[in-house]
């Protein structure tokens, strides 16, 4: 059993399990709410319940006083839902978020291609009006025989509404990706929910853009960059992409060609562990190292978008911050495989997004 | 006709009632109006980039705080009317409350003064408003603590004339000097010392053990004010985080200054908390958790997680944090051994822990406790049985920085006393540790002026150059000092227990 919570002023709707705390559900769904103590004594996570009913549970009577309860306030860290609710939290509205409605779709497999030895491109045809999404968003894919839907970023630009592209890395022993790599065939139908996520380009911000991507984290940057260039973007766009070896480096030709066509688009690649047989005279390093070298360790005055495996994201954030680009200018979608989420790194409340 | 005015949302209201009230001065320069926020070397390019960590306006503040007060005082009244002092675990527990009242409650007042200064001192309106609210909070915490404890003052020793002993008692210069060091620094160092190091990094080690200890030992008065205060702490803690981020993001030249402050205030805060740890370990008859365990949870896990995140700015963990971690097995025992020997010169009682408590220490602290501290307690207990309760005849030498008696031992040798000396302008100054010595050596001109109570006492500046004359000047009577067993508190407690039919505690 679960309820829905709509979070204003974002307009984002999330699922909250029966005995799950509102704050926990929001953070897991990628919606940051202010919080500190996480057990009902400090009051940092106080929100207004505009519609619906909540249970306050162990919220301290000082952190959430009776008059506040009467006024419809609750502490998100303690609140559980007894109906669908709408809350208003003290968070900033994002000018560039489009708040597109989430829907359930069925797509037919129309193309499957090996992009690298471990990454398959899968194209799904969505008939009729197709789907509307913002470049950078993802979908939740229902994989036959797998109970929980899996998240994949949309790799095509939003202008292509009827055929969507997913890049799927094979996770060894991963139930869903093994199915998609080994059993999926042309003409199969897959159900999915989309669009999801709050990773999108801050188009209204004036700064030039840096995209840092690693491994199979190229999907969102690809969609975002194609969308920007299609729409005549004139600000500088730099894509720094890293792969392990040459065989894992994909869409090299596509981005090289775009770089030739658009003077404001720069494409940099590095291999971290080139194979002996690789014909590679480019940089041999990690993404963050290549970015540091290219920008001379100064990132001030940019907006940065990160996508890739957690260690790459982690090193990139540190490089950007040491280069004086701070949290409000850094955007990312955090993706975890089932194995990653089993050992979350302990974090403090210093940052909202990292 | 004019349209009906729209109700303001929280953000708009906040903007209008805080930054909207600010202005750039014209007939006096801003530097003259705010003379102190530049001389520490912190560079702020754009005060508008200050992110208000909470959006609270004065009208909402009064409304909520008034409601908190009503609630708290209703509970305190009920507490007093029901003679709830009878519900505490044991009268020895009262010494934890005494140490709080004597040592920590005055810090709330000092914080009120400090934040009032900051509420005037910063040229950014957002920072000023946050500090003004916190200033009022601190005054409220000071008052509510005093009121919560005043009921105990009717029955127990050690609470009366707390303001005088705050000024005069030699051992209370430990907490006092922490804040006086902070308020005599510049505004950015002050807010780093209090909001970040004390309230954010170390507050879990200060507040959690004390409030849960109170709850565990049946002290509802303290527990209730604790919850009431904690509902303000969220604002204080987020202010601490914001100020660090703000300084680091505004200019890269701020990094080494901030690092030096974090090194200094971590060490000063850690030294001060040794007193709280001792209270936790020794003064709570019902134990919540040991200092060792609290250190592991709140520093080694939470504190290091914070510094891992701060590393993204180029900050490293504070100097000597690994020394503090080595000391987690001994600091509270060294502290208690010291207080035990000097409690005849304090408004506190001390005692040898019971057999059961000694076993708890053995389990929590292992071999070091069994080989070093337990034998000491057994020796002193033996002297006590012979009627020769051990007290030191003279006051101790105290550290020139943290003002704690120089009892700490070498980081790698718990049997070797650590006393380091710096010479400045022909005078020798003693410090308890490399951490404190570094602080002295960085600003010798400041610390050579420190008021060191034992030195002043023996120079005859505190009523006379003997312990007896000093105690008279302090207005401390012998019956409110020294050994707990046989004290007025103990006798009264046993009397109450006898009346209620519960068995009285046997002396150790």
């Amino acid at each position: 059993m679960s309820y829905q919570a709509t979070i204003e002023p974002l307009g984002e709707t999330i699922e909250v399990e029966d005995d799950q705390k509102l704050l926990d559900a929001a953070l897991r769904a990628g919606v940051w709410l202010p919080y500190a103590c996480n057990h009902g004594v400090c009051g940092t996570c106080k929100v207004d319940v505009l519609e619906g009913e909540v249970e306050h549970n162990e919220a301290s009577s000082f952190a959430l006083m009776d008059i506040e309860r009467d006024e419809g306030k609750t502490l998100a860290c303690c609140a559980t839902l007894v109906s669908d609710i709408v809350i208003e939290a003290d968070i900033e509205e994002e000018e560039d978020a489009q708040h597109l409605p989430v829907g359930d779709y069925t797509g037919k497999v129309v193309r499957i291609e090996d992009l690298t030895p471990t990454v398959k491109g899968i194209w799904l045809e969505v008939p009729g009006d197709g789907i509307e999404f913002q470049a950078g968003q993802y979908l939740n894919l229902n994989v036959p025989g797998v109970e929980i839907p899996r998240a994949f970023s949309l790799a095509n630009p939003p202008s292509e509404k009827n055929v969507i592209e997913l890049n799927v890395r094979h996770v060894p022993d991963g139930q869903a990706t093994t199915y998609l790599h080994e059993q999926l065939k042309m003409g199969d139908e897959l159900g999915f929910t989309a669009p999801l996520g709050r990773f999108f380009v801050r188009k209204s911000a004036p700064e030039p853009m840096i995209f840092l991507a690693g491994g199979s984290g190229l999907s969102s940057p690809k969609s975002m960059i194609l969308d920007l260039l299609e729409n005549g973007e004139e600000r500088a766009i730099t894509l720094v992409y890293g792969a392990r070896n040459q065989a894992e480096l994909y869409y090299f030709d596509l981005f090289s060609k775009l770089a030739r066509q658009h003077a404001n688009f720069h494409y940099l690649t590095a291999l971290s562990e080139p194979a002996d047989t690789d014909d590679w005279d480019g940089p041999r390093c990690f993404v963050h190292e290549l970015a540091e070298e290219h920008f001379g360790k100064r990132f001030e005055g940019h907006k940065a978008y990160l996508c890739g495996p957690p260690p790459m994201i982690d090193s990139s954030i540190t490089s950007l911050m040491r280069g004086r680009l701070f949290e409000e200018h850094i955007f990312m979608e955090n993706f975890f495989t089932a194995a990653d989420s089993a050992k979350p790194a302990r974090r403090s409340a210093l940052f909202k997004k990292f | 006709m004019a349209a009906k005015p729209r109700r303001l949302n929280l953000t708009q209201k906040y903007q209008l009632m805080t930054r909207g009230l600010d202005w750039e001065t014209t007939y006096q320069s801003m530097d003259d109006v705010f003379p102190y926020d530049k001389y520490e070397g912190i560079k702020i390019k754009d005060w508008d980039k200050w992110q208000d960590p909470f959006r609270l306006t004065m009208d909402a503040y009064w409304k909520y705080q008034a409601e908190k007060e009503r609630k708290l005082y209703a509970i305190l009244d009920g507490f007093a009317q029901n003679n709830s002092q009878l519900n505490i675990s044991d009268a020895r527990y009262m010494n934890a409350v005494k140490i709080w009242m004597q040592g920590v409650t005055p810090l709330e007042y000092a914080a009120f003064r400090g934040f009032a200064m900051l509420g005037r001192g910063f040229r950014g309106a957002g920072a000023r408003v946050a500090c003004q609210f916190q200033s009022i909070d601190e005054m409220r915490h000071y008052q509510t603590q005093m009121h919560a404890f005043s009921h105990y003052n009717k029955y127990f020793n050690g609470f009366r004339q707390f303001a005088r002993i705050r000024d005069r008692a030699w051992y209370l210069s430990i907490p006092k000097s922490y804040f006086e060091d902070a308020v005599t620094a510049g505004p950015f160092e002050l807010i780093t010392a209090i909001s970040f190091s004390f309230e954010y990094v170390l507050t879990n080690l200060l507040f959690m053990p004390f409030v849960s200890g109170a709850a565990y030992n049946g002290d509802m008065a303290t527990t209730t004010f604790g919850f009431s205060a904690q509902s303000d702490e969220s604002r204080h803690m987020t202010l601490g985080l914001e100020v660090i981020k703000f300084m680091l993001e505004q200019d890269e030249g701020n990094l080494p200054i901030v690092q030096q402050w974090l090194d200094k205030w971590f060490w000063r805060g850690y030294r001060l908390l040794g007193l709280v740890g001792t209270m936790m370990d020794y003064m709570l008859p019902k134990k919540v958790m040991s200092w060792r365990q609290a250190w592991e949870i709140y520093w080694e896990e939470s504190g290091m997680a914070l510094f891992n995140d701060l590393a993204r700015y180029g900050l490293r963990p504070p100097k000597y944090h690994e020394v503090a971690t080595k000391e987690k097995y001994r600091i509270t025992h060294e502290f208690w051994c010291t207080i035990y020997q000097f409690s005849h010169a304090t408004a506190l009682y001390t005692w040898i822990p019971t057999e059961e408590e000694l076993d708890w220490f053995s389990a929590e602290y292992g071999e070091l406790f069994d080989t070093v501290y337990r034998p000491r307690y057994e020796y002193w207990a033996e002297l006590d049985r012979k009627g020769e309760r051990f007290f030191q005849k003279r006051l101790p030498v105290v550290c020139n920085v943290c003002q704690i008696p120089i009892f700490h031992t070498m980081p790698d040798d718990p049997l070797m006393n650590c006393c380091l000396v710096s010479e400045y302008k022909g005078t020798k100054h003693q410090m308890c540790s490399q951490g404190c010595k570094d602080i002295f050596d960085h600003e010798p001109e400041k610390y050579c002026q420190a008021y060191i109570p034992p030195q002043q006492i023996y120079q005859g500046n505190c009523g006379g150059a003997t312990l007896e004359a000093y105690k008279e000047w302090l207005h401390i009577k012998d019956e409110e000092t020294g050994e707990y067993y046989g004290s007025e508190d103990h006798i009264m407690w046993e009397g109450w227990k006898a009346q209620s039919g519960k068995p009285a505690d046997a002396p150790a």
Side-chain angles (χ1 to χ4, degrees):
Chain A
M1 183 71 192
S2 71
Y3 296 106
Q4 290 196 323
T6 302
I7 299 166
E8 299 293 358
L10 304 178
E12 195 84 9
T13 298
I14 61 168
E15 291 288 322
V16 187
E17 294 299 320
D18 225 5
D19 52 355
Q20 189 179 21
K21 303 294 163 65
L22 176 59
L23 175 66
D24 181 63
L27 295 176
R28 281 172 196 276
V31 179
W32 181 84
L33 298 178
Y35 72 100
C37 76
N38 219 344
H39 59 272
V41 298
C42 82
T44 309
C45 64
K46 202 175 292 170
V47 295
D48 283 305
V49 182
L50 305 177
E51 287 169 32
E53 294 279 326
V54 296
E55 212 45 85
H56 302 300
N57 299 310
E58 67 275 25
S60 145
S61 56
F62 285 101
L64 185 69
M65 292 180 295
D66 291 345
I67 53 167
E68 297 175 295
R69 291 169 201 233
D70 295 344
E71 287 168 356
K73 294 185 189 301
T74 194
L75 299 187
C77 74
C78 292
T80 49
L81 275 52
V82 290
S83 74
D84 288 351
I85 60 167
V86 180
I87 63 160
E88 183 170 3
D90 186 12
I91 43 182
E92 298 292 337
E93 204 171 347
E94 288 277 6
E95 198 182 334
D96 297 297
Q98 286 179 13
H99 304 296
L100 297 167
V102 178
D104 295 319
Y105 299 87
T106 303
K108 192 166 84 175
V109 180
V110 292
R111 185 176 152 204
I112 301 175
E113 192 183 311
D114 285 331
L115 298 173
T116 82
T118 63
V119 180
K120 263 187 206 302
I122 297 169
W123 282 259
L124 301 174
E125 188 179 55
V126 187
D129 292 339
I131 90 161
E132 266 204 88
F133 67 98
Q134 258 187 293
Q137 288 192 293
Y138 67 91
L139 53 69
N140 266 341
L141 189 68
N142 301 315
V143 181
V146 181
E147 202 181 338
I148 301 163
R150 297 297 153 95
F152 294 100
S153 295
L154 291 145
N156 54 303
S159 57
E160 295 165 13
K161 291 186 197 316
N162 290 98
V163 178
I164 58 168
E165 176 191 344
L166 310 176
N167 299 162
V168 179
R169 171 179 296 277
H170 185 216
V171 179
D173 303 323
Q175 226 185 332
T177 61
T178 301
Y179 178 91
L180 294 173
H181 271 251
E182 291 173 6
Q183 297 188 45
L184 189 74
K185 52 187 190 308
M186 295 285 284
D188 282 358
E189 292 202 328
L190 291 173
F192 62 87
T193 308
L196 299 165
R198 300 181 45 74
F199 187 44
F200 50 86
V201 174
R202 271 57 180 178
K203 288 185 179 176
S204 65
E207 294 91 347
M209 290 160 265
I210 305 172
F211 293 85
L212 301 180
S216 60
L218 196 55
S219 313
S220 294
K222 175 170 169 275
S223 174
M224 291 163 143
I225 291 167
L226 290 175
D227 181 48
L228 286 165
L229 295 175
E230 277 176 11
N231 288 292
E233 180 58 54
E234 288 176 349
R235 284 170 290 185
I237 301 169
T238 307
L239 169 62
V240 185
Y241 177 64
R244 183 159 296 169
N245 51 47
Q246 206 162 17
E248 291 296 335
L249 185 66
Y250 65 110
Y251 284 132
F252 184 78
D253 293 341
L254 170 75
F255 287 113
S256 302
K257 191 174 137 202
L258 286 171
R260 285 193 298 275
Q261 288 169 347
H262 300 269
N264 62 327
F265 177 61
H266 310 281
Y267 176 50
L268 311 168
T269 51
L271 299 181
S272 58
E273 295 171 30
D276 296 338
T277 53
D278 283 355
D279 172 25
W280 182 256
D281 52 10
R284 295 167 178 236
C285 60
F286 290 108
V287 171
H288 65 281
E289 294 166 331
L290 181 57
E292 283 181 2
E293 193 198 311
H294 180 75
F295 288 94
K297 298 193 174 181
R298 303 298 293 191
F299 299 100
E300 243 168 332
H302 289 84
K303 290 275 187 237
Y305 301 87
L306 316 183
C307 211
M312 179 229 122
I313 299 274
D314 190 64
S315 323
S316 298
I317 292 170
T318 300
S319 290
L320 292 170
M321 287 191 55
R322 298 268 173 101
R324 308 208 50 79
L325 189 72
F326 301 110
E327 193 178 12
E328 60 168 312
H329 306 291
I330 301 175
F331 306 93
M332 73 197 79
E333 187 83 88
N334 283 317
F335 271 119
F336 296 100
T337 64
D340 291 327
S341 59
K343 44 173 172 54
R346 211 188 145 93
R347 288 278 170 219
S348 71
L350 189 67
F351 300 115
K352 296 171 183 178
K353 295 188 291 198
F354 308 156
Chain B
M1 227 176 90
K4 194 179 163 208
R6 248 186 90 223
R7 205 183 130 82
L8 298 171
N9 71 28
L10 199 62
T11 312
Q12 292 164 326
K13 190 165 148 186
Y14 178 78
Q15 281 296 336
L16 287 171
M17 292 184 70
T18 55
R19 297 192 187 191
L21 296 175
D22 195 36
W23 73 96
E24 283 270 326
T25 58
T26 49
Y27 52 86
Q28 290 287 336
S29 80
M30 287 290 273
D31 282 346
D32 287 341
V33 176
F34 298 101
Y36 303 121
D37 69 354
K38 284 186 174 170
Y39 81 93
E40 295 165 286
I42 294 290
K43 291 189 189 69
I44 304 299
K45 291 181 182 132
D46 184 0
W47 272 103
D48 285 340
K49 285 272 188 273
W50 172 273
Q51 300 277 321
D52 297 305
F54 40 84
R55 298 195 180 114
L56 184 65
T57 55
M58 203 40 99
D59 56 336
Y61 180 82
W62 293 132
K63 187 171 123 190
Y64 290 140
Q65 299 302 82
E67 183 64 22
K68 281 183 199 170
E69 298 284 85
R70 276 192 285 278
K71 232 177 120 57
L72 173 65
Y73 284 99
I75 294 172
L76 293 184
D77 278 351
F79 180 85
Q81 283 167 22
N82 287 314
N83 279 320
S84 303
Q85 76 280 4
L86 298 173
N87 296 335
I88 58 168
S89 56
D90 179 39
R92 287 182 302 158
Y93 164 73
M94 268 301 117
N95 291 282
V97 185
K98 291 175 198 180
I99 221 168
W100 194 273
M101 178 81 198
Q102 296 172 11
V104 181
T105 302
L107 296 187
E108 306 274 10
Y109 189 81
F112 146 71
R113 293 171 61 194
F115 280 95
M117 279 166 61
L118 294 174
R120 170 65 182 81
F122 289 126
R123 74 186 65 196
R128 282 212 306 281
V129 168
C131 291
Q132 286 161 14
F133 282 127
Q134 183 159 350
S135 173
I136 305 168
D137 285 340
E138 303 292 358
M139 177 56 109
R140 188 177 93 80
H141 296 176
Y142 168 71
Q143 289 180 331
T144 50
Q145 285 175 28
M146 203 166 40
H147 292 152
F149 299 150
S150 68
H151 180 70
Y152 293 126
N153 180 44
K154 295 178 198 162
Y155 305 99
F156 297 94
N157 286 329
F159 290 98
R160 66 186 188 90
Q161 55 135 5
F162 76 96
R164 179 187 286 124
I165 64 170
R166 180 265 176 200
D167 288 339
R168 296 188 175 187
W170 63 277
Y171 61 105
L172 296 179
S173 73
I174 299 168
K176 189 171 59 173
S177 71
Y178 182 98
F179 264 73
E180 291 186 346
D181 190 352
V183 294
T184 50
F188 283 104
E189 184 177 346
L190 168 58
I191 198 169
T192 303
I194 308 305
S195 292
F196 184 74
S197 295
F198 205 67
E199 303 239 40
Y200 192 83
V201 182
L202 299 170
T203 203
N204 277 328
L205 284 163
L206 181 77
F207 230 72
M208 293 291 289
F210 183 62
V211 176
S212 7
Y216 226 58
N217 286 279
D219 175 5
M220 277 317 292
T222 301
T223 309
T224 311
F225 106 69
F227 276 113
S228 167
Q230 231 177 331
S231 63
D232 299 330
E233 295 296 334
S234 62
R235 272 184 284 116
H236 303 178
M237 287 163 63
T238 44
L239 180 60
L241 283 187
E242 174 52 30
V243 75
I244 290 293
K245 290 165 75 169
F246 183 64
M247 288 189 288
L248 294 172
E249 294 184 14
Q250 278 293 308
D251 193 283
E252 55 205 301
N254 295 341
L255 177 72
I257 304 174
V258 172
Q259 179 75 62
Q260 197 268 324
W261 289 341
L262 295 190
D263 288 346
K264 168 179 171 180
W265 290 101
F266 165 79
W267 189 256
R268 291 225 59 185
Y270 161 66
R271 272 297 189 241
L272 178 55
L273 285 187
L275 195 58
V276 179
T278 306
M279 180 190 89
M280 268 167 83
D281 272 355
Y282 283 88
M283 295 183 174
L284 301 180
K286 288 190 180 168
K287 314 287 186 201
V288 179
M289 63 166 71
S290 65
W291 168 258
R292 175 195 57 78
Q293 202 189 351
W295 184 255
E296 286 167 0
I297 295 171
Y298 296 120
W299 172 257
E300 291 177 45
E301 288 178 28
S302 312
M304 288 312 283
L306 173 67
F307 276 90
N308 284 337
D309 283 343
L310 285 169
R312 297 205 195 276
Y313 286 105
L315 282 173
R316 52 162 176 71
K319 263 205 291 187
Y320 307 122
H321 73 93
E322 69 290 345
V323 173
T325 293
K326 278 180 194 169
E327 289 181 352
K328 70 185 174 186
Y329 293 102
R330 55 180 126 130
I331 189 156
T332 60
H333 312 307
E334 292 178 344
F335 225 125
W336 185 253
C337 286
T338 308
I339 306 178
Y340 180 80
Q341 301 173 65
F342 287 101
S343 64
H344 60 313
T346 68
L348 298 165
Y349 297 124
T350 54
W351 55 87
I352 295 294
T354 63
E355 259 327 287
E356 199 186 356
E357 287 167 340
L358 291 174
D359 291 343
W360 181 79
F361 285 127
S362 295
E364 287 292 316
Y365 288 97
E367 201 194 333
L368 190 67
F369 184 81
D370 285 340
T371 54
V372 177
Y373 310 106
R374 195 166 184 148
R376 266 183 223 177
Y377 293 138
E378 284 161 357
Y379 172 72
W380 281 328
E382 185 53 39
L383 285 182
D384 196 18
R385 272 191 292 275
K386 287 193 284 188
E388 298 164 18
R389 167 64 158 90
F390 183 74
F391 291 114
Q392 289 284 352
K393 303 253 183 313
R394 287 175 179 281
L395 291 173
V397 173
V398 304
C399 172
N400 201 129
V401 173
C402 70
Q403 306 232 356
I404 295 173
I406 297 197
F407 63 70
H408 298 91
T409 46
M410 300 296 282
D412 294 306
D413 186 355
L415 290 176
M416 182 62 80
N417 184 248
C418 181
C419 180
L420 305 174
V421 176
S422 287
E423 206 166 313
Y424 184 70
K425 289 186 174 170
T427 304
K428 286 181 174 154
H429 298 268
Q430 289 99 344
M431 263 73 65
C432 71
S433 55
Q434 196 60 48
C436 282
K437 186 174 187 302
D438 284 5
I439 294 169
F440 183 94
D441 292 343
H442 186 72
E443 289 179 282
E445 189 58 35
K446 177 171 189 175
Y447 295 99
C448 79
Q449 301 175 58
Y451 184 96
I452 311 288
Q455 295 178 6
Q456 295 295 326
I457 291 165
Y458 288 125
Q459 284 170 30
N461 298 329
C462 306
T466 63
L467 200 51
E468 292 65 35
Y470 164 65
K471 280 168 77 172
E472 198 166 311
W473 178 74
L474 193 55
H475 294 231
I476 284 188
K477 293 185 231 153
D478 279 338
E479 52 268 32
E480 53 194 334
T481 71
E483 170 62 39
Y484 169 74
Y485 289 104
S487 69
E488 288 184 344
D489 278 11
H490 178 228
I491 291 165
M492 178 180 64
W493 182 251
E494 290 215 356
W496 286 346
K497 284 256 174 143
Q499 282 174 14
S500 70
K502 287 181 202 159
D505 293 334

